[in-house]
Each structure stands twice: as structure tokens, then as C-alpha cells.
Amino acid sequence: MIARTLPRALTSTRLVRTYAVAKDSTAQPPQDPEKARQEAAQLAVQSLKDMGSLFSMSSSDETQPIDTAPIFKDPKLFGPLSLLHQGQVLKELQDKYDKKWTKLTLEDKYLGYYIAYGDWGVREDFKNWNTLEAPYDLPFKVPSHIKTTTPTKDTKILKLKDPVVLAETPVRLKQFDVKKMDGVTKFFIFLTVLITLFAVARDKRIGEEGRPVEVVIVDKHELERTRKRELAEQQEREAEQKQAQSKKWYYLWLK
């Protein structure tokens, strides 16, 4: 039995799933290269749309709330949505999960399950999400060898002989391969580096001459109050000095 929690937006929900696995169930079916290129192009276009929707200040359809009823009926519509609309759906679903779970409909549960385990986003290659097969990124060997089903206080728990590395599963190899990068990401990285170098060169060329002029605002009333206060303090000091220098008649008599 494998337990997995929903993403951060649905942290109050825990889903438990039982897999009936075969010996070679972790093997990923081969993917057509042409289809892979089309999916990569669609992902790049969707990324540009998401960035545009974040920086856009217009009242277009991309920035307006949508009717989420179709997404609850067909969860596969969740993936192609923009980041803003995905956030809207997650907010509505989270509000339902925060209330009594007995009031959740089957559509609510199905949508939450699809968001956590469905074939969208980084899990777009997980085509067996709605089957009883083990997920492609399961890092354990299947079927697992169970030492005992009745553990006691004297049962020893030993470390696994083989290290469990999530990045070594076939479906995750390309995601954890940092050497390969799509063209859109490379473009924005190079653009950021170019702007940074241009800004540094410009600052060096301008130097101290290009620094902004400091504007000093003088408050005439505050200056007047300060002048009067200093004058009063000076007069008070002079009065104290005169009083200290003046000699009374009994000083002369004692002398």
C-alpha cells in the first residue's frame, strides 16, 4: 500500500491507493519522437501564455475568472489552464476540502486525485495514473519481498541494500537531466545574463558622475524653531554665568 498526499494547495487531504503490480510494471512504454516534439512545443507555448497572463494588465479572457464546473466534470481540462485559472480551481477545491469531507461529491474527489496523480505538468508521461499499475517513478522493486507481516518489538529494521534514488527511474531521467534544456528556458537565461552584463558595463562607464542628485528639502519653520531654541539655551547659559560671577556683600566681609 502506498500513501501519497496532495500538493500544497490540498494539504488537508490524504489519498491512499493500492496497486496490483506485475514484475515489469515500472517499464515505461516507448514514446513516438514526433509526438514528443509536439508536446514540447505545446509546453513552450503554454509557458509563454502563462508568463503573458502574469504580466498582462488588460481585462482579457486570460485574466478573468472562468466557470470551473466543466473542470470538475472533466479533470483533464485542468492541465491546459493558465496558472491563474489553475489557482482559481485549486482555491475552490481547497475550500471544499476545508469543510466536512462527507459533503464532498465524487467529482470533487476525482478532481483532487487527478491533480495529485494525473498525467499533467511534470507527470504528463504517467499514462497509467488511472490503473492499478504501480507509478512509473516508483523507486522500489516490485513485487517487494516482505520479511514479516507480524512485527514485534524485537523485530530489527535494516537499511535497504540498494539505495533508493528517484531520479534513476526511466520516467524521471529526462526530468532530472540538467544538461538538457529546452529552447525557451535557454533564451530567457541568455537574455537575463545579457541584461545583467549591459547594466554592469553601463554602471562602470557612468561612475560617480551618473549618480542621482540628492534633493534636500529645507523646512523653514523647523529652522526657525531650532534658532529660537538655541537662542534661549544661550541666554540661559549666559544668565547662569553672570549669577556665578556676581559676589555678594558677605563674601567681601568674610574676606
Side-chain angles (χ1 to χ4, degrees), residues 1 8 76 82 95-96 117 124 135 138 140 158 171 175 182 184 192 202 213 222 241:
M1 183 171 291
R8 184 176 297 177
K76 292 185 178 180
S82 64
D95 292 340
K96 294 184 178 182
Y117 300 101
E124 61 182 353
L138 185 67
F140 304 101
L158 304 177
V171 73
Q175 294 182 355
D182 60 283
V184 178
T192 304
R202 180 175 177 274
V213 179
E222 182 64 24
Q241 291 178 358

Side-chain angles (χ1 to χ4, degrees), residues 185-200:
T185 305
K186 288 183 179 180
F187 170 76
F188 283 105
I189 291 178
F190 292 151
L191 181 62
T192 304
V193 173
L194 181 62
I195 293 175
T196 303
L197 294 177
F198 175 76
V200 172

